[in-house]
Amino acid sequence: MILLPAIDLYEKKVVRLTRGDYAQMTVYNDDPVAQAASFQEAGAQWLHTVDLEGAKDGSTPNYSVIEAICKDTSLKVEIGGGIRSLDTIARYLDAGVERVILGTQAVTDPEFLEAAVRLFGDHAAVGVDLKEGAIAIRGWKETAPEPAEQFFARLCALGVRTVICTDVSRDGMLGGTNVALYRALSQQFDLDLIASGGVSSIEDLQR
């Protein structure tokens, strides 16, 4: 198992949302680079990051923070949130990011997803955020019409290797993970699955 500590960014600060609600935001640290360094000191090799502002509007306001984390630590960084163009993917990879997570655009624009996988291979991962069984998009404000199971099958057919799956109802709640969901997905699809949302104990990781 590979553990990925996570940093959610908003206005260049480390924050957490409760169930994806921007009105329920807790600020944990004003210095994301220092936070990333502390994760590295604890033994982490990977870091999962999300640009929460980018997730809403498709911009990259926290790009400089990601660039600094890549420069000042030896962590392998993955970034998601608002990545909706091939140029943005290339820019993040040039900054030293190891893996770019495609969310809304991967769901709504099949041609974009296909091009990203073709051009960037395993550096392009897909984030699938599930809200009551449906795929949540645009900062979890909307849901996609395509059934989740169909979308996972499409990802496998395209050659996507890594999928980060978040159960929105568990995210930020510190109440445990949706083990049944991740078990079912692991059994049904040949993917490297990263389980996200609700991890709060060693027992969660063991399960």
Side-chain angles (χ1 to χ4, degrees):
M1 176 187 284
I2 299 171
L3 303 181
L4 291 86
I7 289 178
D8 288 357
L9 296 165
Y10 193 90
E11 295 181 346
K12 297 181 171 62
K13 297 176 182 176
V14 180
V15 306
R16 175 176 62 81
L17 305 184
T18 299
R19 289 178 174 160
D21 185 351
Y22 285 76
Q24 297 186 64
M25 182 183 297
T26 304
V27 176
Y28 281 96
N29 197 327
D30 292 335
D31 189 344
V33 179
Q35 183 67 68
S38 73
F39 286 152
Q40 180 176 307
E41 288 166 14
Q45 296 180 326
W46 277 87
L47 177 68
H48 173 86
T49 62
V50 179
D51 187 330
L52 292 174
E53 291 162 282
K56 283 202 294 187
D57 59 21
S59 61
T60 57
N62 293 283
Y63 175 86
S64 61
V65 174
I66 299 300
E67 190 176 37
I69 290 172
C70 291
K71 178 173 175 287
D72 295 345
T73 76
S74 61
L75 291 163
K76 294 179 180 178
V77 177
E78 63 177 27
I79 172 71
I83 299 166
R84 298 175 192 172
S85 75
L86 298 174
D87 285 345
T88 301
I89 297 173
R91 192 164 165 245
Y92 272 126
L93 294 179
D94 285 345
V97 166
E98 180 68 24
R99 193 158 59 206
V100 172
I101 305 163
L102 311 176
T104 294
Q105 202 72 8
V107 178
T108 60
D109 189 343
E111 291 181 0
F112 166 75
L113 176 59
E114 191 173 339
V117 174
R118 185 178 68 251
L119 290 170
F120 303 109
D122 289 346
H123 293 293
V126 175
V128 183
D129 302 333
L130 297 177
K131 196 173 188 177
E132 297 174 0
I135 302 172
I137 57 174
R138 298 191 172 91
W140 298 350
K141 301 301 180 187
E142 302 174 26
T143 55
E146 183 175 11
E149 199 168 289
Q150 182 177 306
F151 183 58
F152 275 104
R154 183 153 65 88
L155 296 180
C156 290
L158 279 174
V160 172
R161 187 68 252 155
T162 304
V163 171
I164 296 88
C165 184
T166 303
D167 180 346
V168 174
S169 70
R170 305 292 183 104
D171 196 62
M173 298 301 292
L174 298 176
T177 61
N178 189 340
V179 177
L181 169 67
Y182 301 127
R183 181 182 291 117
L185 291 172
S186 295
Q187 291 172 347
Q188 190 171 357
F189 301 104
D190 181 23
L191 294 163
D192 291 337
L193 187 69
I194 298 176
S196 167
V199 175
S200 59
S201 68
I202 296 297
E203 289 72 27
D204 286 333
L205 300 174
Q206 290 170 333
R207 281 195 287 269

